[in-house]
Amino acid sequence: GEQICVPYLANRDIYETHLDRDRCIISLPGGSRDIEQVAEWMQQSAFQAGALESTLLVGIQFLMETDVNHHFLNNDVAFWDHMGWYVGEESVTDSGHNPRDYGASSFTFLDSMVVDIYESNPHFEAIVISGPSAGAKFVQRYAACNRAETYLAENDGPPMVYVTVNNGSFIYMDDKRRCVDGDFAVPD
């Protein structure tokens, strides 16, 4: 019955049905965590593609404790140590200055957002998760282990698409990944 939350930006309310939209793009910031810049790029890209009026644009922000202090945020707002959000770590609960009763993985927050958006908009053709740099690392890890994609598949929901920009590393999910013994299978 308790609520914890993270801030986000969106061009429409994510909890409403949008029959005039056919897709959703959820973007994450890079290491600078400048979601306003990412949101501006999203708007420009959608406009140039002629898809601004048919796309629900969302930017999710994972905060650090300095953000909580600077903006005097309530104790229901989650935050992470340094860059723990981009590897799926649970939000901080044991801070001396800003203790929280509950925490959750950054992946759990995005899972919840995706499911909420889908349940209000089951007609969407795709849900895209995108991010640059640290956000790209998040997207790759999230793609490898999220629960929302399974939920959508089990409920005839739209496919989830993952787009990364300026990756610092890659997760290989096929037979070309590094073997347990340290050898690397050379692709054909």
Side-chain angles (χ1 to χ4, degrees), residues 120-138:
S120 295
N121 296 280
H123 64 280
F124 278 0
E125 296 172 7
I127 296 179
V128 180
I129 312 295
S130 178
S133 192
K137 291 178 184 179
F138 176 100

mmCIF file of all heavy atoms in Angstrom, residues 120-138:
data_model
loop_
_atom_site.group_PDB
_atom_site.id
_atom_site.type_symbol
_atom_site.label_atom_id
_atom_site.label_comp_id
_atom_site.label_asym_id
_atom_site.label_seq_id
_atom_site.Cartn_x
_atom_site.Cartn_y
_atom_site.Cartn_z
ATOM 1 N N SER A 120 -3.206 1.150 -20.380
ATOM 2 C CA SER A 120 -4.036 2.280 -20.837
ATOM 3 C C SER A 120 -4.094 2.369 -22.356
ATOM 4 O O SER A 120 -4.989 3.001 -22.904
ATOM 5 C CB SER A 120 -3.476 3.597 -20.287
ATOM 6 O OG SER A 120 -3.566 3.633 -18.886
ATOM 7 N N ASN A 121 -3.126 1.754 -23.027
ATOM 8 C CA ASN A 121 -3.009 1.875 -24.485
ATOM 9 C C ASN A 121 -2.668 0.534 -25.133
ATOM 10 O O ASN A 121 -1.606 0.386 -25.765
ATOM 11 C CB ASN A 121 -1.929 2.912 -24.818
ATOM 12 C CG ASN A 121 -2.300 4.291 -24.344
ATOM 13 O OD1 ASN A 121 -3.075 4.984 -24.989
ATOM 14 N ND2 ASN A 121 -1.768 4.691 -23.194
ATOM 15 N N PRO A 122 -3.543 -0.452 -24.999
ATOM 16 C CA PRO A 122 -3.236 -1.767 -25.579
ATOM 17 C C PRO A 122 -3.164 -1.757 -27.101
ATOM 18 O O PRO A 122 -2.692 -2.719 -27.703
ATOM 19 C CB PRO A 122 -4.393 -2.649 -25.079
ATOM 20 C CG PRO A 122 -5.499 -1.701 -24.781
ATOM 21 C CD PRO A 122 -4.839 -0.414 -24.334
ATOM 22 N N HIS A 123 -3.586 -0.665 -27.729
ATOM 23 C CA HIS A 123 -3.546 -0.561 -29.193
ATOM 24 C C HIS A 123 -2.163 -0.149 -29.720
ATOM 25 O O HIS A 123 -1.951 -0.178 -30.932
ATOM 26 C CB HIS A 123 -4.586 0.466 -29.660
ATOM 27 C CG HIS A 123 -4.303 1.843 -29.176
ATOM 28 N ND1 HIS A 123 -4.616 2.260 -27.889
ATOM 29 C CD2 HIS A 123 -3.710 2.898 -29.787
ATOM 30 C CE1 HIS A 123 -4.224 3.528 -27.754
ATOM 31 N NE2 HIS A 123 -3.679 3.927 -28.889
ATOM 32 N N PHE A 124 -1.240 0.206 -28.849
ATOM 33 C CA PHE A 124 0.077 0.632 -29.324
ATOM 34 C C PHE A 124 0.731 -0.468 -30.148
ATOM 35 O O PHE A 124 0.629 -1.655 -29.828
ATOM 36 C CB PHE A 124 0.984 1.008 -28.160
ATOM 37 C CG PHE A 124 0.775 2.412 -27.629
ATOM 38 C CD1 PHE A 124 -0.164 3.268 -28.177
ATOM 39 C CD2 PHE A 124 1.540 2.875 -26.568
ATOM 40 C CE1 PHE A 124 -0.340 4.552 -27.689
ATOM 41 C CE2 PHE A 124 1.371 4.161 -26.079
ATOM 42 C CZ PHE A 124 0.438 4.997 -26.634
ATOM 43 N N GLU A 125 1.424 -0.061 -31.207
ATOM 44 C CA GLU A 125 2.096 -1.012 -32.088
ATOM 45 C C GLU A 125 3.476 -1.405 -31.576
ATOM 46 O O GLU A 125 4.003 -2.444 -31.945
ATOM 47 C CB GLU A 125 2.220 -0.418 -33.484
ATOM 48 C CG GLU A 125 0.880 -0.188 -34.145
ATOM 49 C CD GLU A 125 0.992 0.574 -35.451
ATOM 50 O OE1 GLU A 125 2.124 0.814 -35.925
ATOM 51 O OE2 GLU A 125 -0.063 0.944 -35.990
ATOM 52 N N ALA A 126 4.098 -0.548 -30.742
ATOM 53 C CA ALA A 126 5.422 -0.838 -30.191
ATOM 54 C C ALA A 126 5.677 0.048 -28.980
ATOM 55 O O ALA A 126 5.139 1.155 -28.886
ATOM 56 C CB ALA A 126 6.512 -0.608 -31.237
ATOM 57 N N ILE A 127 6.496 -0.479 -28.091
ATOM 58 C CA ILE A 127 7.028 0.312 -26.982
ATOM 59 C C ILE A 127 8.533 0.249 -27.112
ATOM 60 O O ILE A 127 9.129 -0.839 -27.104
ATOM 61 C CB ILE A 127 6.555 -0.213 -25.617
ATOM 62 C CG1 ILE A 127 5.030 -0.056 -25.516
ATOM 63 C CG2 ILE A 127 7.267 0.535 -24.482
ATOM 64 C CD1 ILE A 127 4.419 -0.560 -24.228
ATOM 65 N N VAL A 128 9.145 1.408 -27.296
ATOM 66 C CA VAL A 128 10.580 1.519 -27.543
ATOM 67 C C VAL A 128 11.261 2.037 -26.285
ATOM 68 O O VAL A 128 10.806 3.011 -25.688
ATOM 69 C CB VAL A 128 10.866 2.480 -28.723
ATOM 70 C CG1 VAL A 128 12.359 2.603 -28.973
ATOM 71 C CG2 VAL A 128 10.122 2.026 -29.974
ATOM 72 N N ILE A 129 12.356 1.386 -25.887
ATOM 73 C CA ILE A 129 13.160 1.825 -24.757
ATOM 74 C C ILE A 129 14.504 2.253 -25.333
ATOM 75 O O ILE A 129 15.159 1.483 -26.031
ATOM 76 C CB ILE A 129 13.371 0.690 -23.723
ATOM 77 C CG1 ILE A 129 12.053 -0.004 -23.372
ATOM 78 C CG2 ILE A 129 14.089 1.223 -22.492
ATOM 79 C CD1 ILE A 129 11.044 0.863 -22.676
ATOM 80 N N SER A 130 14.915 3.486 -25.035
ATOM 81 C CA SER A 130 16.115 4.037 -25.658
ATOM 82 C C SER A 130 16.941 4.829 -24.657
ATOM 83 O O SER A 130 16.400 5.374 -23.690
ATOM 84 C CB SER A 130 15.705 4.961 -26.813
ATOM 85 O OG SER A 130 16.831 5.553 -27.399
ATOM 86 N N GLY A 131 18.238 4.909 -24.912
ATOM 87 C CA GLY A 131 19.087 5.728 -24.074
ATOM 88 C C GLY A 131 20.492 5.844 -24.620
ATOM 89 O O GLY A 131 20.975 4.938 -25.293
ATOM 90 N N PRO A 132 21.169 6.960 -24.337
ATOM 91 C CA PRO A 132 22.560 7.141 -24.732
ATOM 92 C C PRO A 132 23.515 6.825 -23.574
ATOM 93 O O PRO A 132 23.154 6.958 -22.409
ATOM 94 C CB PRO A 132 22.625 8.639 -25.061
ATOM 95 C CG PRO A 132 21.670 9.246 -24.068
ATOM 96 C CD PRO A 132 20.563 8.229 -23.902
ATOM 97 N N SER A 133 24.723 6.390 -23.887
ATOM 98 C CA SER A 133 25.800 6.234 -22.912
ATOM 99 C C SER A 133 25.376 5.364 -21.728
ATOM 100 O O SER A 133 25.060 4.195 -21.908
ATOM 101 C CB SER A 133 26.283 7.617 -22.476
ATOM 102 O OG SER A 133 27.482 7.528 -21.750
ATOM 103 N N ALA A 134 25.344 5.914 -20.513
ATOM 104 C CA ALA A 134 24.916 5.133 -19.347
ATOM 105 C C ALA A 134 23.482 4.653 -19.530
ATOM 106 O O ALA A 134 23.121 3.548 -19.109
ATOM 107 C CB ALA A 134 25.047 5.955 -18.072
ATOM 108 N N GLY A 135 22.653 5.461 -20.174
ATOM 109 C CA GLY A 135 21.283 5.041 -20.476
ATOM 110 C C GLY A 135 21.272 3.851 -21.428
ATOM 111 O O GLY A 135 20.413 2.981 -21.335
ATOM 112 N N ALA A 136 22.251 3.804 -22.349
ATOM 113 C CA ALA A 136 22.365 2.664 -23.266
ATOM 114 C C ALA A 136 22.743 1.399 -22.503
ATOM 115 O O ALA A 136 22.232 0.310 -22.790
ATOM 116 C CB ALA A 136 23.401 2.952 -24.352
ATOM 117 N N LYS A 137 23.623 1.541 -21.524
ATOM 118 C CA LYS A 137 23.984 0.383 -20.697
ATOM 119 C C LYS A 137 22.754 -0.121 -19.946
ATOM 120 O O LYS A 137 22.525 -1.320 -19.838
ATOM 121 C CB LYS A 137 25.092 0.750 -19.716
ATOM 122 C CG LYS A 137 26.421 1.004 -20.394
ATOM 123 C CD LYS A 137 27.459 1.422 -19.373
ATOM 124 C CE LYS A 137 28.774 1.773 -20.048
ATOM 125 N NZ LYS A 137 29.777 2.205 -19.071
ATOM 126 N N PHE A 138 21.962 0.815 -19.422
ATOM 127 C CA PHE A 138 20.718 0.439 -18.751
ATOM 128 C C PHE A 138 19.818 -0.318 -19.717
ATOM 129 O O PHE A 138 19.277 -1.375 -19.380
ATOM 130 C CB PHE A 138 20.007 1.685 -18.227
ATOM 131 C CG PHE A 138 18.663 1.403 -17.594
ATOM 132 C CD1 PHE A 138 18.547 1.326 -16.222
ATOM 133 C CD2 PHE A 138 17.536 1.222 -18.365
ATOM 134 C CE1 PHE A 138 17.318 1.062 -15.630
ATOM 135 C CE2 PHE A 138 16.303 0.962 -17.795
ATOM 136 C CZ PHE A 138 16.193 0.876 -16.413
#
